[in-house]
Amino acid sequence: METVSYKCINCSGPVQYNAQKLKFYCEYCRSEFTEEELKKHWGELDQSLETNEAVSEDAPAQDVPEGFEDFASNTVMYTCQSCGAEVIAEKTTAATFCVYCHSPVVLSNRLTGEFKPHKVIPFMISEEDAQQRFFDYCKKKHFLPKDFISSAQLDMMKGVYYPYWLVDSLKDGSMFATAEKHRTWVSGDYEYKETKTFKVKRVGKIDFKGFPHPALKSENSKALKYVNPYDDKDFKDFTMAYLSGFLAEKRDTERSDVQAEVDSELKVYAGKIYRSSIEGYDVVRVDSCNVKTLKESWDYAMLPVWMMTFFYQDKSYLYAMNGQTGKNYGELPINKGKLALFGVIMFVVLMVICILGGYFLS
């Protein structure tokens, strides 16, 4: 497996996309370039990848030791163009770093042909900013263990481009509901209650644009859903140059694999839209909601996520943050001692309030 690296116009050192500068940056001579400047000098950045004669990923493994067949079938070797080292990568990895010289590398032929994304949103939040936001997020969690946050934890945060399906779907649907209006009044010595019941119907077309759905089967897909949505104003035509300096994953699902799940999610959102239009009633009970697809198209995009998976006291935790908007999702450990102490304090406070309340009422 061969790799491609993007070179500095001035010194030929490796350049990578810098989320703070929103430009391509060379750490050797500190030059900065826009995508247009790189294209003007080097030509179309991905043009050579379409004809790259890299070793096929489907080629049979040679001399695989017994017991390592599964490992071999899910990994490939690539060659770093900076130092010549051969490094192992998983089959879905599209961009990574050389573990020997730390140069950013993009694996050729991983994102070409049918696997080439249509769009990309570059990282808008730098690593330093992402770490600070994680630190601020943790400060709001009062039951975190004291020794949890450390520089070692922050160093585990990695910028990853994850593959998403973007779905444009025109839906036609209807909702039937039973609604009630309540009225209460007093006349003389009597209180009267009146309930009026209505049958409510909502019908209409809903046009979903760019609905994102993870195109990866990994366990991180849950976190990817919670960091949505992305703002489509920053979409750019895809070029693998934006992957340089970050990690990236290749999609491992087809439209048919996730169609049912997307349909189900869009039906839920359509139901919420119909329900939000039923106003002015005291009680609303949805009887049925039916949605059908009139027209649909799918795009494939790479979207930025700051991801951190870490272990604390032999348990795995996950934190993810949208690399464009900063919306985050976190699974963090809890200090059971702090939580128990808080529970005791709250119990004592409530007991004191009850005792004092009884004293003054007696």
Side-chain angles (χ1 to χ4, degrees), residues 62-118:
Q62 301 293 328
D63 301 324
V64 178
E66 185 177 354
F68 285 84
E69 293 83 3
D70 183 64
F71 172 79
S73 65
N74 289 286
T75 58
V76 292
M77 297 285 291
Y78 72 83
T79 303
C80 174
Q81 291 192 359
S82 296
C83 69
E86 290 190 338
V87 184
I88 294 176
E90 294 183 358
K91 277 203 166 184
T92 56
T93 301
T96 185
F97 293 88
C98 174
V99 296
Y100 297 101
C101 69
H102 303 289
S103 295
V105 291
V106 180
L107 279 66
S108 61
N109 287 2
R110 282 291 172 88
L111 297 176
T112 57
E114 64 177 307
F115 290 102
K116 183 176 182 179
H118 305 101

Side-chain angles (χ1 to χ4, degrees), residues 1-203:
M1 170 63 68
E2 297 297 327
T3 65
V4 60
S5 60
Y6 296 91
K7 302 297 184 181
C8 173
I9 295 173
N10 297 324
C11 71
S12 295
V15 296
Q16 53 189 338
Y17 186 75
N18 187 294
Q20 186 174 17
K21 300 176 183 294
L22 301 182
K23 291 184 177 181
F24 295 92
Y25 181 71
C26 175
E27 293 186 347
Y28 290 88
C29 68
R30 300 183 180 180
S31 298
E32 300 175 9
F33 309 99
T34 64
E35 179 185 349
E36 289 70 25
E37 289 171 335
L38 289 179
K39 284 183 176 180
K40 184 177 180 180
H41 185 84
W42 297 110
E44 288 298 323
L45 300 179
D46 295 344
Q47 185 175 10
S48 62
L49 302 181
E50 302 294 341
T51 58
N52 188 294
E53 296 181 358
V55 177
S56 171
E57 295 185 29
D58 297 325
Q62 301 293 328
D63 301 324
V64 178
E66 185 177 354
F68 285 84
E69 293 83 3
D70 183 64
F71 172 79
S73 65
N74 289 286
T75 58
V76 292
M77 297 285 291
Y78 72 83
T79 303
C80 174
Q81 291 192 359
S82 296
C83 69
E86 290 190 338
V87 184
I88 294 176
E90 294 183 358
K91 277 203 166 184
T92 56
T93 301
T96 185
F97 293 88
C98 174
V99 296
Y100 297 101
C101 69
H102 303 289
S103 295
V105 291
V106 180
L107 279 66
S108 61
N109 287 2
R110 282 291 172 88
L111 297 176
T112 57
E114 64 177 307
F115 290 102
K116 183 176 182 179
H118 305 101
K119 303 176 181 178
V120 62
I121 293 181
F123 273 87
M124 300 291 171
I125 296 174
S126 68
E127 181 176 3
E128 294 76 12
D129 190 13
Q131 291 178 347
Q132 183 60 48
R133 292 182 187 220
F134 173 72
F135 183 73
D136 294 340
Y137 175 78
C138 290
K139 285 196 297 185
K140 298 176 183 177
K141 307 300 179 182
H142 302 295
F143 299 115
L144 275 180
K146 287 184 177 180
D147 61 344
F148 170 69
I149 304 176
S150 65
S151 58
Q153 300 287 11
L154 294 177
D155 287 342
M156 294 180 184
M157 185 175 290
K158 304 298 180 185
V160 186
Y161 281 101
Y162 278 102
Y164 278 81
W165 291 110
L166 301 179
V167 184
D168 290 346
S169 185
L170 179 61
K171 303 291 187 182
D172 187 17
S174 61
M175 173 177 283
F176 294 87
T178 301
E180 296 178 357
K181 282 187 176 182
H182 300 158
R183 186 166 72 97
T184 302
W185 71 95
V186 176
S187 178
D189 295 332
Y190 295 94
E191 180 182 83
Y192 297 89
K193 293 183 178 180
E194 178 186 73
T195 299
K196 291 184 177 180
T197 303
F198 303 85
K199 290 296 183 181
V200 183
K201 179 181 180 181
R202 291 291 184 268
V203 178

Side-chain angles (χ1 to χ4, degrees), residues 167 169-176 204 206 208 211 213 258-276 286-293 296:
V167 184
S169 185
L170 179 61
K171 303 291 187 182
D172 187 17
S174 61
M175 173 177 283
F176 294 87
I206 302 176
F208 292 98
F211 178 77
H213 189 281
V258 297
Q259 180 75 65
E261 189 173 352
V262 169
D263 289 342
S264 177
E265 291 178 3
L266 290 181
K267 181 178 180 180
V268 170
Y269 283 113
K272 290 180 179 179
I273 293 172
Y274 291 132
R275 174 62 183 85
S276 67
V286 175
D287 299 321
S288 65
C289 181
N290 300 295
V291 178
K292 65 179 180 179
T293 303
E296 194 167 85

Side-chain angles (χ1 to χ4, degrees), residues 320-335:
M321 185 177 71
N322 186 309
Q324 178 201 31
T325 67
K327 182 180 179 182
N328 58 14
Y329 165 83
E331 300 170 354
L332 301 177
I334 295 177
N335 186 319

Side-chain angles (χ1 to χ4, degrees), residues 289-353:
C289 181
N290 300 295
V291 178
K292 65 179 180 179
T293 303
L294 299 180
K295 183 172 62 175
E296 194 167 85
S297 62
W298 291 51
D299 274 345
Y300 172 33
M302 302 294 283
L303 303 181
V305 181
W306 285 106
M307 185 73 69
M308 182 163 61
T309 304
F310 47 88
F311 286 88
Y312 182 81
Q313 294 185 351
D314 299 325
K315 186 175 179 181
S316 176
Y317 295 90
L318 175 67
Y319 173 82
M321 185 177 71
N322 186 309
Q324 178 201 31
T325 67
K327 182 180 179 182
N328 58 14
Y329 165 83
E331 300 170 354
L332 301 177
I334 295 177
N335 186 319
K336 295 181 180 179
K338 283 186 180 181
L339 186 61
L341 178 60
F342 177 77
V344 170
I345 293 173
M346 290 302 296
F347 176 77
V348 171
V349 170
L350 291 174
M351 286 294 295
V352 171
I353 292 174

